[in-house]
């Protein structure tokens, strides 16, 4: 896995995506762990199968929340506080970000 990051985003520099190789077995393993966290929530007592009336947005938010929290608790995600604190805004969609050179 390539861990090189593009420069910090700022007013003059937009966010750039970090290339991710989906064929990398380590990346596949991390994705599987994230999906397991999301599935555990979906099927558990707080999930939509046991809690009636949840909106699609609540279901999506809950699954993503559990998946990321699961990876954070396992220590697989390190929060880049420099990148987080130096950004003036954050792109909300993956498809409108520039790939890193």
């Amino acid at each position: 896995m390539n861990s090189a990051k593009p420069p910090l985003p700022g007013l003059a520099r937009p966010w750039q995506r970090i290339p991710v190789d989906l064929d990398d077995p380590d990346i596949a393993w991390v994705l599987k762990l994230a999906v397991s966290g999301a599935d555990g929530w979906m099927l558990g007592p707080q999930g939509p199968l046991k809690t009636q009336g949840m909106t699609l947005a609540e279901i999506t938010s809950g699954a993503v929340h559990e998946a990321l929290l699961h990876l954070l608790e396992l220590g697989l995600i390190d929060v880049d506080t420099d990148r987080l604190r130096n950004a003036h805004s954050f792109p909300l969609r993956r498809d409108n970000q520039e790939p890193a050179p």
Side-chain angles (χ1 to χ4, degrees), residues 5 10 22 25 28 35 38 42 45 55-59 66 75 83 91-92 101:
K5 291 184 182 180
L22 295 177
V35 169
M42 294 284 286
T55 67
L56 184 55
E58 291 170 325
I59 294 168
E66 285 300 310
R83 189 167 296 275
L92 299 178

Side-chain angles (χ1 to χ4, degrees), residues 29-38 65-78:
W29 194 5
V30 170
L31 290 173
K32 183 176 173 106
L33 288 168
V35 169
S36 294
H65 176 269
E66 285 300 310
L68 288 173
L69 188 57
H70 186 57
L71 296 179
L72 283 164
E73 289 175 342
L74 291 174
L76 296 174
I77 296 176
D78 292 323

Side-chain angles (χ1 to χ4, degrees), residues 5-6 11 13-14 20 23 25 27 34-35 44 56 64 69 75 86 89 97:
K5 291 184 182 180
L11 292 176
R13 268 190 311 266
V20 175
D23 293 324
I27 298 297
V35 169
L56 184 55
V64 170
L69 188 57
N86 283 299
S89 65
Q97 297 175 60

Side-chain angles (χ1 to χ4, degrees), residues 76-96:
L76 296 174
I77 296 176
D78 292 323
V79 177
D80 184 339
T81 54
D82 289 338
R83 189 167 296 275
L84 184 65
R85 292 186 181 127
N86 283 299
H88 296 285
S89 65
F90 298 93
L92 299 178
R93 295 175 48 156
R94 287 182 60 233
D95 59 359
N96 67 356

